[in-house]
């Protein structure tokens, strides 16, 4: 029960103030992009995978050209759209690895990776260790 409570708490995001309006179009696009990205989380079921994974997926949902989305995000955050998506996927992957008993294959599938090896490579690239090592370190710490 404690791990479920921790998992739920880690997924909670502070709410944004409703009165603050984006100052320009780029900030408005960023706010809409981030809202779409966050709506996909938390992942709570193993049979449901993410539907929006790429900049073009998000651009289609927002009815803007992918180049326009990329430019707006880069202008406001100094990060690429792909970097922001990868950071959020990594955050969710870490939560799932620590807080669930789902297999690495299941987590890879849920997060939209076609192969577990692709997920392993993604995780190693961004976290500098494999998902199984990350999970084992988390178990020892707890």
């Amino acid at each position: 029960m404690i791990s479920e409570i921790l998992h739920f708490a880690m997924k909670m995001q502070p709410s944004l103030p409703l009165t603050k309006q984006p100052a320009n179009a780029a900030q408005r696009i960023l706010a809409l992009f981030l809202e779409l990205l966050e709506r996909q989380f938390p992942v709570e079921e193993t049979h449901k995978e993410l539907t929006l994974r790429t900049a073009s997926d998000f651009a289609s949902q927002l009815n803007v050209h992918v180049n326009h989305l990329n430019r707006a995000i880069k202008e406001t955050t100094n990060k690429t759209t792909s970097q922001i998506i990868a950071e959020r996927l990594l955050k969710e992957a870490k939560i799932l690895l620590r807080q669930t008993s789902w297999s690495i294959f299941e987590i890879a599938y849920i997060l939209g990776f076609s192969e577990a090896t692709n997920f392993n490579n993604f995780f190693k690239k961004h976290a500098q260790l494999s998902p199984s090592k990350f999970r084992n370190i988390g178990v020892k710490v707890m």
Side-chain angles (χ1 to χ4, degrees):
M1 292 299 283
I2 292 173
S3 68
E4 287 182 32
I5 292 170
L6 289 173
H7 179 63
F8 180 75
M10 289 175 75
K11 292 189 269 186
M12 293 178 61
Q13 299 289 325
S15 61
L16 298 173
L18 297 175
T19 57
K20 187 176 180 183
Q21 294 294 320
N24 60 33
Q27 290 174 341
R28 185 176 79 58
I29 289 172
L30 173 65
L32 292 170
F33 165 76
L34 292 175
E35 182 182 335
L36 268 181
L37 180 62
E38 287 302 322
R39 272 192 209 160
Q40 299 187 101
F41 303 104
V43 176
E44 296 176 339
E45 301 171 8
T46 58
H47 64 277
K48 212 173 160 184
E49 67 178 290
L50 298 182
T51 54
L52 303 173
R53 285 252 328 171
T54 65
S56 57
D57 294 340
F58 284 96
S60 294
Q61 278 299 120
L62 296 170
N63 294 316
V64 297
H65 193 277
V66 68
N67 293 343
H68 184 63
L69 174 66
N70 289 334
R71 226 181 350 263
I73 290 175
K74 184 71 170 182
E75 176 185 315
T76 54
T77 67
N78 281 332
K79 293 181 180 180
T80 66
T81 309
S82 298
Q83 284 175 314
I84 293 173
I85 294 168
E87 287 171 2
R88 187 59 181 98
L89 284 174
L90 182 64
K91 180 180 176 182
E92 190 67 15
K94 287 179 176 181
I95 290 169
L96 294 173
L97 286 166
R98 285 227 169 104
Q99 303 300 323
T100 69
S101 60
W102 297 343
S103 71
I104 291 172
F105 175 80
E106 289 173 316
I107 293 171
Y109 173 77
I110 291 164
L111 295 179
F113 291 90
S114 58
E115 299 287 333
T117 54
N118 294 343
F119 173 67
N120 282 331
N121 291 337
F122 166 83
F123 198 90
K124 282 180 189 176
K125 177 182 175 184
H126 295 284
Q128 285 73 47
L129 68 161
S130 71
S132 56
K133 285 183 182 177
F134 180 83
R135 178 176 267 169
N136 291 337
I137 290 170
V139 170
K140 290 177 186 173
V141 172
M142 295 177 160

